[in-house]
Every structure is written in structure tokens, then in C-alpha cells.
Amino acid sequence: MKFNYDTLAPREQKMVKFGAIGLVAILIFGVLMPLDSSVAKARTRVSKKQADLVWMKSVAPFLAAQAPAHNNNGESLIVIVDRSARESGLGNSLAGTDPSGAGGIQVRLEKAPFDAVIGWLSRLSQQNGIGVDGATIDSAGSPGVVNAAIVLKQQ
């Protein structure tokens, strides 16, 4: 069966014309216009991110010079971790600590408030130069309460 526009009745020809016009309108307004808008927004975001990167690179040497020295007073990693956890209100959640590799320690927390854990890890990093080498965090049942196994290392 071969389609030939000229053999269609005038009413069918009008229907085909309007259908084609409708299809082109849907293609333009339903696909091309939103796509163009998305590309323009992406370009704007990229240029903003590039400007932010330039600024960060210009400020990085100043910030590196201002970084506080990590003062651990000769304390061992386990003492620092235990003391800071208790200061952060995680003393009751401490379930144990075990050595983990060279210079590392694994800390187990049970039924600990998630926000307190994150705050504690942030303070350990900023004040003592102790970073997270690995972590497993699971829900402890209640919202915002977690069980965690965290491997910490002196950086």
C-alpha cells in the first residue's frame, strides 16, 4: 500500500496538513524549547562554578597558611578518640575500640544520635587531624539514631 497525498479526499488532505502542523508544534514546543532552556541553565551553572573555582584557588594559599596546628599533647589516638567522644555526648554510645591497621582505630557506637556522630567526626578532623578511613552506619530503629563502626586514622 502506497501513500499518495494527491489521491486523498480534500477533507483527508486538511486532516493530514493539520496533523503535520500539530506534530511540528509539539516537536518545537514540547522538546526543543525545554531542551534549549535546560542547556542555557546548565551553561549558567557551569560558568558560576568556574568562577567559584577561580576564587577558591586564589584563597587556598591564604587558608592553608591559617590552618591551625593539630595539638595532641603526645596523647595516643585511642585516648584522643575516647575523650572527644565523651565530650561530644557519645560516652554512653561507645561500645568498643579496636586497633585497625597501622596507626588506625576502629570505634563501635551503638544507639548514637546521628547528628552527634557527625559533629564529633568533624571536630576530630578539625581539632586533632584525625580523619575517617572507613565507616559503616546503620539505622538503630529510632529516627536519627544509628549504630556505627568507624575506622579513624591520624592524618
Side-chain angles (χ1 to χ4, degrees):
M1 173 183 268
K2 189 173 182 183
F3 177 75
N4 190 350
Y5 181 76
D6 295 331
T7 61
L8 295 175
R11 181 175 175 200
E12 292 172 336
Q13 287 180 352
K14 282 184 181 179
M15 198 163 61
V16 169
K17 285 180 189 176
F18 287 125
I21 291 172
L23 183 64
V24 169
I26 289 173
L27 182 65
I28 290 174
F29 293 109
V31 176
L32 296 178
M33 296 289 281
L35 184 62
D36 184 51
S37 174
S38 296
V39 169
K41 288 178 185 176
R43 284 186 179 144
T44 303
R45 279 195 319 267
V46 167
S47 65
K48 183 174 178 349
K49 301 268 185 207
Q50 287 175 334
D52 289 346
L53 178 62
V54 168
W55 177 80
M56 286 182 202
K57 285 183 178 180
S58 70
V59 175
F62 174 74
L63 293 177
Q66 299 295 323
H70 301 296
N71 186 6
N72 293 336
N73 298 327
E75 294 177 313
S76 69
L77 183 60
I78 195 165
V79 171
I80 295 168
V81 168
D82 185 66
R83 179 179 36 79
S84 65
R86 294 184 192 288
E87 289 172 356
S88 296
L90 295 171
N92 293 337
S93 299
L94 275 174
T97 55
D98 298 312
S100 175
I105 183 173
Q106 180 176 4
V107 180
R108 288 184 319 280
L109 300 168
E110 293 180 357
K111 296 182 181 174
F114 179 76
D115 293 340
V117 172
I118 298 303
W120 171 59
L121 294 174
S122 175
R123 281 188 296 282
L124 272 177
S125 175
Q126 292 172 356
Q127 296 173 0
N128 302 100
I130 297 172
V132 176
D133 192 44
T136 302
I137 300 175
D138 298 314
S139 174
S142 301
V145 180
V146 297
N147 294 329
I150 304 168
V151 178
L152 302 170
K153 286 198 176 180
Q154 188 78 40
Q155 296 176 337

